[in-house]
């Protein structure tokens, strides 16, 4: 049986930062941010770490499914802003949730983290190695954003999405296919220079701001437009899906223009595309599960919907996953 999502929830920090917040101290404007990215506000967690956003979403996800925490046998956390480089955020989450017997690990694939971790979760469940995997996509981007750099400060936000992966009760629905890619040659355009073994943190690296995100926006933009559109079209063809068959494109929320290019290539009208970048900005590994959770809560994502998840991010990493959704709110 294929793996499937049996419950999902999300958490967003309460504090909203509008474009006006940046207008007050950076040379930028609401108009520039809206037209170039589609973002009008985002959330930043004033306190706590990535795990502190995961825990409330995880508790809600478990409660919605009506299971005990102890039923979870594996926790996977996709993030580029782990609480610590080690131990893994999965360990921190396990401890905070108070689950006595399970295992888990973190996945580092930036904006494609959720899709890559989903693939691992599916493999565990479909092989019978695990029954219930708690899959978390979460990032506290405000912990690595350079707030003095107008080209990146306005783009990102904090948030978490958590879902449960189990086997489907139907052989024809669930997480049915995926195409995933990495290309390390793209690493030069989007990375964090210091803080790893390549360049351990020092006074010098801090003074140079090398602990922040480095992004060549235009280079990433060009690669993302091509990469996300290509892989989305590829997964449709591979699964004989026409634009009429697809109910929802669930794209990584990095830039509204990248999302539109992908939807155009797939031949999808706007009413078939999940977009909330305007409210939350780019929450990296959290964008896709937050969309799924919000649309399910609204009752707009329903059993039987064919959905395509698509992402592109640092690495480069990119991919698409085809799901026949098989749960209702
Ligand atoms: O999720 C991870 C993957 N990341 C992405 O997918 C991000 C991909 N890149 C993008 O989304 C876009 O490249 C950005 C939104 C980051 C930038 O948009 P752009 O249309 O590529 O702008 P640009 O970088 O070419 O900059 C155009 C101009 C520059 O000024 P000059 O050199 O033309 O005078 C920038 O300095 O806009 C300037 N600029 C700004 N102006 C006002 C850059 N940031 C800002 C700003 N406000 N916040």
């Amino acid at each position: 049986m294929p793996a499937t999502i049996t419950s999902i929830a999300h958490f967003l920090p309460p504090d909203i930062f509008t474009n006006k917040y940046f207008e007050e101290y950076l040379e930028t404007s609401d108009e520039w941010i809206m037209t170039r990215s589609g973002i009008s506000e985002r959330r930043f967690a004033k306190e706590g770490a990535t795990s502190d956003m995961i825990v409330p979403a995880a508790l809600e996800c478990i409660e919605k499914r009506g299971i005990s925490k102890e039923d979870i046998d594996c926790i996977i956390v996709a993030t580029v802003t782990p609480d610590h480089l080690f131990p893994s955020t999965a360990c921190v989450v396990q401890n905070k949730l108070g689950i006595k017997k399970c295992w888990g690990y973190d996945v580092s694939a930036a904006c494609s983290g959720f899709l890559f971790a989903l693939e691992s979760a599916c493999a565990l469940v479909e092989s019978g190695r695990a029954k219930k995997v708690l899959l978390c996509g979460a990032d506290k981007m405000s912990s690595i954003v350079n707030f003095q750099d107008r080209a990146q400060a306005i783009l990102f936000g904090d948030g978490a999405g958590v879902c449960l992966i189990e086997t489907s009760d139907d052989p024809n629905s669930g997480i049915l296919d995926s195409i995933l890619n990495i290309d390390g040659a793209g690493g030069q355009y989007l990375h964090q220079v210091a803080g790893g073994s390549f360049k351990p943190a020092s006074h010098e690296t801090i003074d140079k701001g090398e602990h922040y995100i480095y992004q060549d926006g235009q280079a990433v933009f060009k690669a993302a437009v091509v990469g996300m559109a290509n892989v989305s079209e590829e997964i449709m063809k591979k699964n004989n899906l026409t634009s009429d068959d697809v109910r929802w494109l669930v794209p990584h929320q990095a830039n509204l223009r990248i999302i539109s290019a992908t939807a155009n290539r797939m031949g999808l009208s706007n009413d078939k595309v999940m977009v909330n970048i305007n409210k939350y900005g780019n929450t990296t590994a959290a964008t896709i599960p937050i969309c799924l959770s919000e649309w399910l809560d609204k009752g707009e994502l329903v059993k039987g919907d064919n959905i395509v998840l698509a992402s592109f991010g640092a690495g480069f990493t990119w991919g698409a996953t085809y799901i026949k959704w098989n749960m209702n709110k």
Side-chain angles (χ1 to χ4, degrees):
M1 285 290 186
T4 193
I5 295 174
T6 55
S7 180
I8 188 159
H10 66 282
F11 175 84
L12 289 151
D15 293 300
I16 299 172
F17 292 75
T18 63
N19 291 343
K20 207 169 172 40
Y21 168 80
F22 296 102
E23 276 180 351
E24 277 164 20
Y25 77 97
L26 286 174
E27 208 177 305
T28 189
S29 66
D30 176 52
E31 204 247 328
W32 190 96
I33 302 170
M34 277 302 286
T35 51
R36 298 292 178 118
S37 71
I39 300 166
S40 83
E41 52 190 53
R42 71 289 288 147
R43 311 289 184 94
F44 294 135
K46 286 191 169 161
E47 53 195 28
T50 296
S51 65
D52 295 304
M53 297 190 291
I54 293 174
V55 167
L59 289 171
E60 189 184 328
C61 177
I62 293 165
E63 196 204 323
K64 278 178 172 169
R65 180 72 179 117
I67 58 165
S68 151
K69 287 185 290 189
E70 305 303 332
D71 295 331
I72 291 163
D73 33 26
C74 180
I75 300 172
I76 308 178
V77 177
T79 188
V80 286
T81 51
D83 289 25
H84 314 276
L85 269 180
F86 67 92
S88 69
T89 303
C91 290
V92 179
V93 168
Q94 170 273 330
N95 192 39
K96 286 184 177 171
L97 289 175
I99 301 174
K100 286 194 195 71
K101 202 175 172 301
C102 76
W103 71 293
Y105 55 95
D106 289 1
V107 168
S108 172
C111 300
S112 301
F114 184 77
L115 291 199
F116 284 27
L118 181 62
E119 190 75 355
S120 307
C122 289
L124 289 170
V125 159
E126 286 166 12
S127 65
R129 294 289 179 107
K131 286 204 161 51
K132 289 180 170 52
V133 177
L134 192 71
L135 174 60
C136 319
D139 271 297
K140 187 183 176 188
M141 295 307 288
S142 60
S143 65
I144 55 169
V145 160
N146 181 351
F147 282 98
Q148 301 309 316
D149 177 357
R150 65 179 182 170
Q152 62 172 271
I154 51 101
L155 290 177
F156 296 96
D158 303 339
V162 176
C163 59
L164 258 176
I165 308 297
E166 301 177 65
T167 44
S168 175
D169 50 10
D170 172 359
N172 301 313
S173 69
I175 301 149
L176 298 181
D177 196 17
S178 65
I179 303 172
L180 306 172
N181 301 284
I182 60 171
D183 179 4
Q188 61 185 305
Y189 304 115
L190 180 51
H191 57 255
Q192 190 179 21
V193 177
S197 56
F198 169 69
K199 209 173 199 189
S202 66
H203 285 293
E204 191 199 343
T205 65
I206 300 290
D207 289 345
K208 286 183 172 167
E210 290 177 336
H211 53 299
Y212 294 130
I213 295 165
Y214 168 82
Q215 174 167 261
D216 176 341
Q218 269 194 19
V220 179
F221 184 89
K222 283 181 197 153
V225 163
V226 175
M228 216 159 100
N230 279 353
V231 77
S232 303
E233 191 179 37
E234 210 184 320
I235 200 138
M236 283 175 73
K237 282 193 179 143
K238 198 175 158 211
N239 290 280
N240 298 316
L241 294 168
T242 66
S243 52
D244 287 339
D245 298 325
V246 176
R247 177 61 192 96
W248 292 111
L249 165 66
V250 190
H252 169 54
Q253 313 277 310
N255 188 311
L256 189 56
R257 292 181 290 150
I258 301 172
I259 295 173
S260 301
T262 304
N264 283 343
R265 179 79 77 77
M266 295 169 75
L268 300 180
S269 49
N270 289 344
D271 60 333
K272 289 187 165 191
V273 187
M274 293 189 189
V275 174
N276 59 15
I277 189 173
N278 50 317
K279 292 188 293 181
Y280 310 133
N282 181 352
T283 57
T284 305
T287 62
I288 290 175
I290 290 173
C291 277
L292 291 172
S293 175
E294 274 202 339
W295 263 255
L296 186 69
D297 285 349
K298 287 192 278 187
E300 291 180 23
L301 173 60
V302 296
K303 195 168 179 161
D305 283 352
N306 285 311
I307 67 175
V308 173
L309 320 182
S311 68
F312 190 95
F316 290 140
T317 57
W318 70 106
T321 299
Y322 165 43
I323 302 179
K324 189 177 256 305
W325 193 257
N326 73 350
M327 64 177 285
N328 282 320
K329 192 177 161 187

